[in-house]
Tab-separated table of all heavy atoms in Angstrom:
chain	number	residue	atom	x	y	z
T	7	PHE	N	156.039	187.587	76.432
T	7	PHE	CA	155.431	188.497	77.460
T	7	PHE	C	154.068	189.025	77.051
T	7	PHE	O	153.477	189.842	77.813
T	7	PHE	CB	156.394	189.719	77.718
T	7	PHE	CG	157.761	189.321	78.144
T	7	PHE	CD1	158.835	189.389	77.249
T	7	PHE	CD2	157.995	188.887	79.411
T	7	PHE	CE1	160.095	188.999	77.638
T	7	PHE	CE2	159.274	188.531	79.816
T	7	PHE	CZ	160.346	188.563	78.939
T	8	THR	N	153.497	188.626	75.931
T	8	THR	CA	152.224	189.222	75.477
T	8	THR	C	151.163	188.159	75.152
T	8	THR	O	150.173	188.468	74.608
T	8	THR	CB	152.431	190.058	74.211
T	8	THR	OG1	152.906	189.227	73.133
T	8	THR	CG2	153.421	191.204	74.521
T	9	HIS	N	151.400	186.903	75.468
T	9	HIS	CA	150.490	185.821	75.075
T	9	HIS	C	149.067	186.069	75.615
T	9	HIS	O	148.888	186.504	76.769
T	9	HIS	CB	151.000	184.452	75.544
T	9	HIS	CG	150.347	183.335	74.863
T	9	HIS	ND1	149.136	182.819	75.229
T	9	HIS	CD2	150.749	182.563	73.799
T	9	HIS	CE1	148.815	181.806	74.458
T	9	HIS	NE2	149.741	181.626	73.558
T	10	GLN	N	148.043	185.756	74.826
T	10	GLN	CA	146.696	186.065	75.197
T	10	GLN	C	146.199	185.276	76.400
T	10	GLN	O	145.221	185.717	77.047
T	10	GLN	CB	145.733	185.764	73.993
T	10	GLN	CG	145.648	184.266	73.547
T	10	GLN	CD	146.701	183.931	72.537
T	10	GLN	OE1	147.700	184.628	72.345
T	10	GLN	NE2	146.502	182.768	71.865
T	11	HIS	N	146.822	184.201	76.801
T	11	HIS	CA	146.418	183.449	77.951
T	11	HIS	C	146.812	184.121	79.275
T	11	HIS	O	146.337	183.704	80.335
T	11	HIS	CB	146.947	182.012	77.910
T	11	HIS	CG	146.302	181.172	76.856
T	11	HIS	ND1	146.636	179.820	76.640
T	11	HIS	CD2	145.356	181.438	75.900
T	11	HIS	CE1	145.936	179.381	75.665
T	11	HIS	NE2	145.146	180.322	75.228
T	12	LEU	N	147.658	185.101	79.192
T	12	LEU	CA	148.077	185.788	80.442
T	12	LEU	C	146.912	186.353	81.219
T	12	LEU	O	146.877	186.359	82.461
T	12	LEU	CB	149.136	186.840	80.139
T	12	LEU	CG	150.542	186.320	79.909
T	12	LEU	CD1	151.404	187.447	79.320
T	12	LEU	CD2	151.171	185.805	81.170
T	13	ALA	N	145.947	186.882	80.469
T	13	ALA	CA	144.831	187.600	81.124
T	13	ALA	C	144.018	186.621	81.972
T	13	ALA	O	143.680	186.933	83.141
T	13	ALA	CB	143.910	188.212	80.076
T	14	GLU	N	143.718	185.426	81.452
T	14	GLU	CA	142.942	184.469	82.249
T	14	GLU	C	143.748	183.879	83.429
T	14	GLU	O	143.221	183.608	84.468
T	14	GLU	CB	142.344	183.357	81.382
T	14	GLU	CG	143.339	182.525	80.650
T	14	GLU	CD	142.737	181.546	79.720
T	14	GLU	OE1	142.209	180.462	80.180
T	14	GLU	OE2	142.706	181.766	78.497
T	15	ILE	N	145.043	183.740	83.213
T	15	ILE	CA	145.936	183.265	84.295
T	15	ILE	C	145.874	184.256	85.442
T	15	ILE	O	145.669	183.878	86.593
T	15	ILE	CB	147.340	183.058	83.795
T	15	ILE	CG1	147.432	181.961	82.777
T	15	ILE	CG2	148.294	182.774	84.993
T	15	ILE	CD1	148.793	181.841	82.045
T	16	ARG	N	146.069	185.527	85.106
T	16	ARG	CA	146.060	186.555	86.189
T	16	ARG	C	144.692	186.615	86.872
T	16	ARG	O	144.645	186.761	88.117
T	16	ARG	CB	146.448	187.940	85.603
T	16	ARG	CG	146.490	188.991	86.659
T	16	ARG	CD	147.137	190.277	86.166
T	16	ARG	NE	148.548	190.094	85.933
T	16	ARG	CZ	149.484	190.131	86.878
T	16	ARG	NH1	149.115	190.323	88.151
T	16	ARG	NH2	150.767	189.983	86.622
T	17	ARG	N	143.621	186.542	86.167
T	17	ARG	CA	142.252	186.604	86.773
T	17	ARG	C	142.133	185.495	87.850
T	17	ARG	O	141.625	185.739	88.915
T	17	ARG	CB	141.167	186.490	85.734
T	17	ARG	CG	140.853	187.780	85.008
T	17	ARG	CD	139.565	187.627	84.202
T	17	ARG	NE	139.636	186.705	83.149
T	17	ARG	CZ	140.012	186.968	81.906
T	17	ARG	NH1	140.338	188.222	81.566
T	17	ARG	NH2	140.033	186.027	80.974
T	18	THR	N	142.559	184.289	87.506
T	18	THR	CA	142.380	183.170	88.432
T	18	THR	C	143.307	183.398	89.673
T	18	THR	O	142.844	183.210	90.802
T	18	THR	CB	142.764	181.855	87.748
T	18	THR	OG1	141.866	181.618	86.663
T	18	THR	CG2	142.714	180.704	88.726
T	19	LEU	N	144.513	183.806	89.450
T	19	LEU	CA	145.437	183.979	90.563
T	19	LEU	C	144.970	185.088	91.506
T	19	LEU	O	145.037	184.979	92.719
T	19	LEU	CB	146.862	184.279	90.062
T	19	LEU	CG	147.503	183.139	89.211
T	19	LEU	CD1	148.923	183.600	88.757
T	19	LEU	CD2	147.596	181.833	89.986
T	20	VAL	N	144.495	186.223	90.888
T	20	VAL	CA	144.013	187.296	91.729
T	20	VAL	C	142.739	186.913	92.491
T	20	VAL	O	142.544	187.355	93.632
T	20	VAL	CB	143.795	188.564	90.880
T	20	VAL	CG1	143.051	189.637	91.647
T	20	VAL	CG2	145.139	189.095	90.322
T	21	ALA	N	141.876	186.109	91.916
T	21	ALA	CA	140.702	185.634	92.621
T	21	ALA	C	141.102	184.830	93.844
T	21	ALA	O	140.428	184.903	94.902
T	21	ALA	CB	139.807	184.825	91.667
T	22	LEU	N	142.159	184.054	93.740
T	22	LEU	CA	142.643	183.273	94.905
T	22	LEU	C	143.460	184.119	95.886
T	22	LEU	O	143.414	183.864	97.097
T	22	LEU	CB	143.482	182.092	94.377
T	22	LEU	CG	142.746	180.962	93.649
T	22	LEU	CD1	143.713	179.998	93.050
T	22	LEU	CD2	141.768	180.249	94.561
T	23	GLN	N	144.232	185.032	95.340
T	23	GLN	CA	145.102	185.877	96.147
T	23	GLN	C	144.928	187.315	95.715
T	23	GLN	O	145.664	187.778	94.806
T	23	GLN	CB	146.617	185.394	95.980
T	23	GLN	CG	147.572	186.195	96.853
T	23	GLN	CD	149.015	185.738	96.722
T	23	GLN	OE1	149.249	184.597	96.510
T	23	GLN	NE2	149.960	186.667	96.827
T	24	PRO	N	144.008	188.056	96.269
T	24	PRO	CA	143.738	189.395	95.804
T	24	PRO	C	144.844	190.375	95.789
T	24	PRO	O	144.850	191.371	95.053
T	24	PRO	CB	142.547	189.857	96.762
T	24	PRO	CG	141.940	188.568	97.237
T	24	PRO	CD	143.075	187.612	97.294
T	25	ASP	N	145.880	190.155	96.652
T	25	ASP	CA	146.979	191.116	96.698
T	25	ASP	C	148.096	190.726	95.690
T	25	ASP	O	149.201	191.367	95.727
T	25	ASP	CB	147.525	191.208	98.110
T	25	ASP	CG	148.206	189.885	98.624
T	25	ASP	OD1	148.038	188.861	97.894
T	25	ASP	OD2	148.809	189.909	99.698
T	26	PHE	N	147.876	189.794	94.811
T	26	PHE	CA	148.912	189.439	93.824
T	26	PHE	C	148.974	190.496	92.730
T	26	PHE	O	148.002	190.677	91.941
T	26	PHE	CB	148.568	188.072	93.201
T	26	PHE	CG	149.580	187.694	92.128
T	26	PHE	CD1	150.929	187.487	92.405
T	26	PHE	CD2	149.155	187.617	90.778
T	26	PHE	CE1	151.782	187.128	91.412
T	26	PHE	CE2	150.014	187.248	89.786
T	26	PHE	CZ	151.374	187.041	90.105
T	27	THR	N	150.066	191.173	92.644
T	27	THR	CA	150.248	192.223	91.654
T	27	THR	C	151.561	192.101	90.895
T	27	THR	O	151.860	192.918	90.053
T	27	THR	CB	150.262	193.626	92.323
T	27	THR	OG1	151.335	193.717	93.309
T	27	THR	CG2	148.910	193.930	93.002
T	28	ALA	N	152.311	191.077	91.191
T	28	ALA	CA	153.597	190.854	90.534
T	28	ALA	C	153.425	190.510	89.066
T	28	ALA	O	152.349	190.158	88.592
T	28	ALA	CB	154.412	189.783	91.277
T	29	ASP	N	154.546	190.615	88.336
T	29	ASP	CA	154.525	190.290	86.929
T	29	ASP	C	154.537	188.785	86.695
T	29	ASP	O	155.058	188.023	87.515
T	29	ASP	CB	155.726	190.875	86.193
T	29	ASP	CG	155.668	192.395	86.095
T	29	ASP	OD1	154.559	192.953	86.115
T	29	ASP	OD2	156.738	193.018	86.007
T	30	ILE	N	153.906	188.354	85.583
T	30	ILE	CA	153.991	186.993	85.085
T	30	ILE	C	154.782	187.062	83.771
T	30	ILE	O	154.252	187.524	82.773
T	30	ILE	CB	152.667	186.323	84.870
T	30	ILE	CG1	151.778	186.410	86.142
T	30	ILE	CG2	152.772	184.880	84.391
T	30	ILE	CD1	150.324	186.020	85.922
T	31	ASN	N	156.029	186.649	83.813
T	31	ASN	CA	156.906	186.747	82.638
T	31	ASN	C	156.872	185.449	81.892
T	31	ASN	O	157.551	184.480	82.290
T	31	ASN	CB	158.328	187.116	83.085
T	31	ASN	CG	158.361	188.407	83.883
T	31	ASN	OD1	157.902	189.454	83.403
T	31	ASN	ND2	158.991	188.368	85.068
T	32	PHE	N	156.111	185.442	80.782
T	32	PHE	CA	155.860	184.199	80.071
T	32	PHE	C	156.518	184.180	78.716
T	32	PHE	O	156.255	185.074	77.883
T	32	PHE	CB	154.325	184.053	79.967
T	32	PHE	CG	153.857	182.848	79.129
T	32	PHE	CD1	154.635	181.674	79.077
T	32	PHE	CD2	152.658	182.900	78.467
T	32	PHE	CE1	154.223	180.616	78.350
T	32	PHE	CE2	152.224	181.823	77.743
T	32	PHE	CZ	152.964	180.635	77.627
T	33	ILE	N	157.327	183.185	78.507
T	33	ILE	CA	158.057	182.971	77.184
T	33	ILE	C	157.435	181.685	76.581
T	33	ILE	O	157.810	180.569	76.965
T	33	ILE	CB	159.509	182.842	77.340
T	33	ILE	CG1	160.120	184.049	78.099
T	33	ILE	CG2	160.201	182.736	75.943
T	33	ILE	CD1	159.970	185.373	77.437
T	34	PRO	N	156.553	181.790	75.577
T	34	PRO	CA	156.046	180.607	74.911
T	34	PRO	C	157.013	180.154	73.826
T	34	PRO	O	157.615	181.008	73.120
T	34	PRO	CB	154.709	181.102	74.276
T	34	PRO	CG	154.514	182.498	74.746
T	34	PRO	CD	155.834	183.020	75.173
T	35	VAL	N	157.125	178.878	73.640
T	35	VAL	CA	158.075	178.289	72.726
T	35	VAL	C	157.362	177.311	71.816
T	35	VAL	O	156.597	176.431	72.335
T	35	VAL	CB	159.257	177.598	73.416
T	35	VAL	CG1	160.256	177.002	72.416
T	35	VAL	CG2	159.979	178.551	74.358
T	36	ARG	N	157.584	177.424	70.503
T	36	ARG	CA	157.097	176.402	69.579
T	36	ARG	C	158.004	175.192	69.618
T	36	ARG	O	159.204	175.304	69.340
T	36	ARG	CB	157.044	176.912	68.138
T	36	ARG	CG	156.146	178.174	67.941
T	36	ARG	CD	156.226	178.543	66.429
T	36	ARG	NE	155.453	179.727	66.110
T	36	ARG	CZ	155.968	180.961	66.052
T	36	ARG	NH1	157.252	181.142	66.289
T	36	ARG	NH2	155.211	181.973	65.769
T	37	GLY	N	157.469	174.013	69.904
T	37	GLY	CA	158.233	172.815	69.903
T	37	GLY	C	158.186	172.066	68.612
T	37	GLY	O	157.327	172.362	67.726
T	38	ASP	N	159.092	171.122	68.446
T	38	ASP	CA	159.139	170.357	67.190
T	38	ASP	C	158.466	169.022	67.310
T	38	ASP	O	158.904	167.987	66.799
T	38	ASP	CB	160.608	170.161	66.731
T	38	ASP	CG	161.415	169.369	67.740
T	38	ASP	OD1	161.001	169.199	68.903
T	38	ASP	OD2	162.468	168.840	67.331
T	39	PHE	N	157.342	168.979	68.075
T	39	PHE	CA	156.567	167.782	68.234
T	39	PHE	C	155.069	168.129	68.037
T	39	PHE	O	154.742	169.296	67.990
T	39	PHE	CB	156.795	167.173	69.639
T	39	PHE	CG	156.689	168.204	70.748
T	39	PHE	CD1	155.439	168.488	71.379
T	39	PHE	CD2	157.790	168.894	71.181
T	39	PHE	CE1	155.385	169.421	72.381
T	39	PHE	CE2	157.699	169.872	72.217
T	39	PHE	CZ	156.507	170.098	72.780
T	40	ALA	N	154.221	167.153	67.920
T	40	ALA	CA	152.830	167.424	67.543
T	40	ALA	C	151.974	167.819	68.719
T	40	ALA	O	151.178	168.772	68.613
T	40	ALA	CB	152.244	166.176	66.859
T	41	ARG	N	152.101	167.142	69.850
T	41	ARG	CA	151.154	167.450	70.926
T	41	ARG	C	151.873	167.359	72.321
T	41	ARG	O	152.759	166.608	72.522
T	41	ARG	CB	149.952	166.524	70.887
T	41	ARG	CG	150.316	165.022	70.970
T	41	ARG	CD	149.137	164.141	70.554
T	41	ARG	NE	147.973	164.384	71.363
T	41	ARG	CZ	146.715	164.018	71.032
T	41	ARG	NH1	146.517	163.456	69.861
T	41	ARG	NH2	145.739	164.218	71.862
T	42	GLY	N	151.321	168.198	73.226
T	42	GLY	CA	151.842	168.284	74.568
T	42	GLY	C	152.285	169.682	74.890
T	42	GLY	O	152.559	170.518	74.030
T	43	ILE	N	152.280	169.989	76.205
T	43	ILE	CA	152.819	171.263	76.745
T	43	ILE	C	153.681	170.889	77.970
T	43	ILE	O	153.288	170.128	78.817
T	43	ILE	CB	151.724	172.239	77.148
T	43	ILE	CG1	151.003	172.809	75.932
T	43	ILE	CG2	152.304	173.373	78.015
T	43	ILE	CD1	149.895	173.803	76.245
T	44	PHE	N	154.882	171.475	77.984
T	44	PHE	CA	155.827	171.287	79.090
T	44	PHE	C	156.153	172.656	79.620
T	44	PHE	O	156.792	173.456	78.934
T	44	PHE	CB	157.073	170.537	78.605
T	44	PHE	CG	157.914	169.981	79.693
T	44	PHE	CD1	157.542	168.807	80.341
T	44	PHE	CD2	159.046	170.629	80.103
T	44	PHE	CE1	158.362	168.268	81.358
T	44	PHE	CE2	159.880	170.118	81.103
T	44	PHE	CZ	159.507	168.938	81.717
């Protein structure tokens, strides 16, 4: 819920949809592989 990328995600979404005020509930997970994001 505190990842640093949340700020830029919200800025982009609000720029597209100015009335967006809902929460973005983000759970980042460390995977056991070298590269990729799912």
Side-chain angles (χ1 to χ4, degrees):
F7 304 104
T8 63
H9 196 279
Q10 65 272 15
H11 289 180
L12 282 168
E14 60 185 281
I15 295 169
R16 181 169 291 280
R17 277 193 297 269
T18 299
L19 297 180
V20 170
L22 290 173
Q23 183 180 326
D25 66 351
F26 176 66
T27 59
D29 289 335
I30 305 171
N31 301 308
F32 176 29
I33 307 296
V35 180
R36 299 181 183 96
D38 64 342
F39 49 89
R41 58 195 300 162
I43 288 178
F44 195 78

